């Protein structure tokens, strides 16, 4: 399986922000506003000179995790990534799977979070349908390359929580579901859990 070079940027748009926003972007709705607020908080951490030394890496990552991952609905992401198998698991098994899945994402993106500081994100538009929203954006690299980033969010209380990220038409949730289904089909759910507990499994960006 080869790495998805483009999907390695799946979380970039929650970690970087445009230096300026156009008038249209400034009038964006609540989902975009909340995602941008998360971006701004993450930037404060990333740019804090006190947290830049290697000795502060653990503290820096912990602060980033608290800021960034508060915008994600990991329970919904885990449920969708497991697919139909989710409903066949006990509440205790579901709780464990959410915890293990969250740890996988933390490991997969710990370094990516700290890598992208100078790219620019342009918020394009958002679509809201009942309690769901799509926030579309693009990332422009320092080399002028552009990548589309689409956030799928669900309204939970007063907060828009991201449950999937689609980079260059590649869904984070669908990608993990394909991997997980292969393990379950070839072996068992118990084998999938064993692999999730192994910190070397699923440690990198999602694979094709």
């Amino acid at each position: 399986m080869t790495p998805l070079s483009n999907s390695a940027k799946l979380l970039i748009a929650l970690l970087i922000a445009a230096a300026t926003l156009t008038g249209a972007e400034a009038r964006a709705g609540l989902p975009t506003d909340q995602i941008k607020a998360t971006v701004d908080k993450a930037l404060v951490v990333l740019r804090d000179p006190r947290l830049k030394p290697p000795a502060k890496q653990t503290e820096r990552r912990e602060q980033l995790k608290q800021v960034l991952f508060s915008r994600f609905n990991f329970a919904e992401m885990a449920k969708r990534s497991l697919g139909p198998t989710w409903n066949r698991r006990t509440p205790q098994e579901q709780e464990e799977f959410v915890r293990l899945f969250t740890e996988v994402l933390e490991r997969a993106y710990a370094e990516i979070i700290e890598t992208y500081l100078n790219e620019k994100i342009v918020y394009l538009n958002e679509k809201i349908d009942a309690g769901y929203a799509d926030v579309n954006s693009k990332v422009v690299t320092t080399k002028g390359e552009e990548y589309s980033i689409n956030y799928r969010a669900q309204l939970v209380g007063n907060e828009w929580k991201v449950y999937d990220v689609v980079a260059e038409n590649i869904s984070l949730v669908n990608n993990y579901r394909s991997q997980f289904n292969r393990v379950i089909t070839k072996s068992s759910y118990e084998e999938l859990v064993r692999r999730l507990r192994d910190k070397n499994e699923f440690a990198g960006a999602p694979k094709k």
Side-chain angles (χ1 to χ4, degrees):
M1 295 185 293
T2 57
L4 295 176
S5 57
N6 288 336
S7 68
K9 303 176 183 296
L10 283 171
L11 300 187
I12 290 175
L14 287 181
L15 307 168
I16 55 182
T20 59
L21 295 177
T22 66
E25 290 165 340
R27 293 193 297 271
L30 191 58
T32 302
D33 289 343
Q34 290 189 0
I35 288 176
K36 183 179 182 300
T38 300
V39 167
D40 292 342
K41 290 179 182 178
L43 281 172
V44 170
V45 176
L46 288 168
R47 292 172 176 170
D48 186 347
R50 185 182 64 85
L51 298 174
K52 287 186 179 296
K56 292 290 185 177
Q57 182 185 72
T58 300
E59 181 181 353
R60 182 175 64 248
R61 288 184 176 180
E62 182 61 30
Q63 289 192 26
L64 283 169
K65 183 173 71 173
Q66 292 177 7
V67 170
L68 179 64
F69 291 158
S70 65
R71 183 56 53 198
F72 283 83
N73 186 342
F74 284 110
E76 186 68 18
M77 294 178 77
K79 176 181 178 180
R80 290 170 180 262
S81 295
L82 194 55
T85 303
W86 174 268
N87 292 327
R88 296 195 288 270
R89 311 327 303 177
T90 68
Q92 292 76 18
E93 289 174 327
Q94 292 174 350
E95 182 179 355
E96 179 186 32
F97 184 81
V98 171
R99 177 179 58 80
L100 292 172
F101 180 78
T102 302
E103 291 175 355
V104 165
L105 289 186
E106 289 177 4
R107 293 196 301 271
Y109 293 102
E111 294 183 2
I112 295 175
I113 284 172
E114 298 166 328
T115 301
Y116 298 93
L117 297 176
N118 299 317
E119 284 82 355
K120 176 181 177 180
I121 179 174
V122 179
Y123 298 102
L124 302 173
N125 56 67
E126 66 179 36
K127 299 176 183 178
I128 301 176
D129 184 7
Y132 293 87
D134 281 0
V135 176
N136 298 305
S137 67
K138 66 178 179 179
V139 172
V140 183
T141 72
T142 54
K143 295 181 179 180
E145 300 170 323
E146 296 185 359
Y147 299 91
S148 65
I149 303 284
N150 175 27
Y151 297 97
R152 294 173 177 169
Q154 180 180 17
L155 187 61
V156 180
N158 296 321
E159 293 284 326
W160 286 96
K161 299 286 189 176
V162 175
Y163 66 85
D164 195 11
V165 185
V166 182
E168 294 291 283
N169 297 316
I170 298 171
S171 162
L172 175 71
V173 165
N174 289 347
N175 205 293
Y176 273 118
R177 185 163 60 231
S178 295
Q179 294 187 75
F180 296 163
N181 283 344
R182 280 198 294 271
V183 176
I184 294 172
T185 300
K186 292 180 179 179
S187 184
S188 65
Y189 174 77
E190 288 71 25
E191 173 63 14
L192 173 62
V193 171
R194 186 196 68 76
R195 294 191 184 187
L196 288 171
R197 289 172 179 157
D198 181 351
K199 297 187 184 302
N200 293 319
E201 289 277 351
F202 306 108
K207 306 289 194 294
K208 277 185 179 178

